[in-house]
Amino acid sequence: MFAPGTAGVRGPAHEQVLLCQDRTVGLKAVVSVHSTALGPALGGTRFHAYGSSADAVLDSLNLARGMSYKNALAGLPYGGGKAVIIGDPALLKTPGLLHSYGRFVESLAGRYVTACDVGTDTADMDVVGEETDHVVGRSPAAGGVGDPSAATAYGVLQGMRACAAVRWGEPHLRGRRVGVCGLGKVGQHLVGLLTEAGATVLASDIRADAVARTQVRFPEARIVADAKALLDAEMDIYSPCALGGALDRVAVNRLRAPVVCGAANNQLGYAGAEERLVDRDIVYAPDYVVNAGGVIHVAREYSGCSATRSPDRARARAREQVDPIYATTLSILTAAADSGASPSAVADDLAEKRMASPPRT
């Protein structure tokens, strides 16, 4: 999978691409439904100031396809879809805009189920949920399972353990140096989990406020000046946790870490990026395999689960359901090493077989 504006969209064609616009509230959004072979298309709503409408459409297409593969590999009864709202959320996000967007989601009659993503959160999903039932990731107060960021980070941690087992023969991270690039909701949780696991964390973000929060919450983390400096640092695992395209030509050739495993979607920034990683003997865990914890967490909500009565039990149950990411990642990486194929090729083949033969109900 590739980032906006790079190598385009691979794989089976999308089923539907829709434009949503409401000038009265400043809403302009794109909803892409990639596949409903396994069930309703489930995927978050990203709110972002894109450089152009074409970039927004391509991002929606890429992200929707990624959700199809992510949900299939996670064993979820959902297809893949993704929405992007075009604009700066700090300037445009209002209850009116979110209500209008919720009505649009409702008009799709359950074909697409939305959730939070970059630029949106549980409070936003609560507002969207006032207009439609086809939304997950709402707050426990609104009957939801809450923010999925912690579950996403936990899944990435399981992916890292699998990478460690393949690279070093043991599935633990104690004593490993891990570079986390991107200190948003997921990145913050990941820093905490890595610290608990005994890893040394190198952390970087272009936003001063995110760096400051990390320094306060995790004083053990070592702050690195910028993303390029992080690439040059000596580390065992590089973890892209910001927006897509992190593994561009510069990063792939400059990276010193022998493992890449992160939460960002669409990390491969150009055609041939993964092959170059293989040539450099770098273990790459496909992002849509390891970052599935969040969607596993929120998918429970659509079937009637809620964190309202027992938040602690809900978190424990979510972790139990995310744990299999370790085995899935290990299986894919092992098969790739045995066959000489790239990890993404192995993962794609498995996902496509599942989508082609959905379980009978």
Side-chain angles (χ1 to χ4, degrees), residues 56 65 77 87 110 112 127 143 201 220 222 230 319 354:
R65 177 184 181 274
Y112 169 64
V127 178
V201 179
E220 310 95 330
R222 304 179 186 179
L230 186 60
R319 283 200 169 193
R354 290 180 178 176

Side-chain angles (χ1 to χ4, degrees), residues 175-203:
R176 298 294 173 194
R177 291 168 61 89
V178 183
V180 178
C181 186
L183 302 172
K185 293 181 291 185
V186 175
Q188 292 273 329
H189 284 295
L190 185 57
V191 170
L193 291 171
L194 288 167
T195 301
E196 291 175 9
T200 296
V201 179
L202 311 179

Side-chain angles (χ1 to χ4, degrees), residues 183 188 203-217 223-225:
L183 302 172
Q188 292 273 329
S204 178
D205 198 296
I206 60 173
R207 300 163 301 168
D209 59 331
V211 171
R213 283 195 300 272
T214 303
Q215 289 178 308
V216 171
R217 293 183 62 190
I223 302 301
V224 178

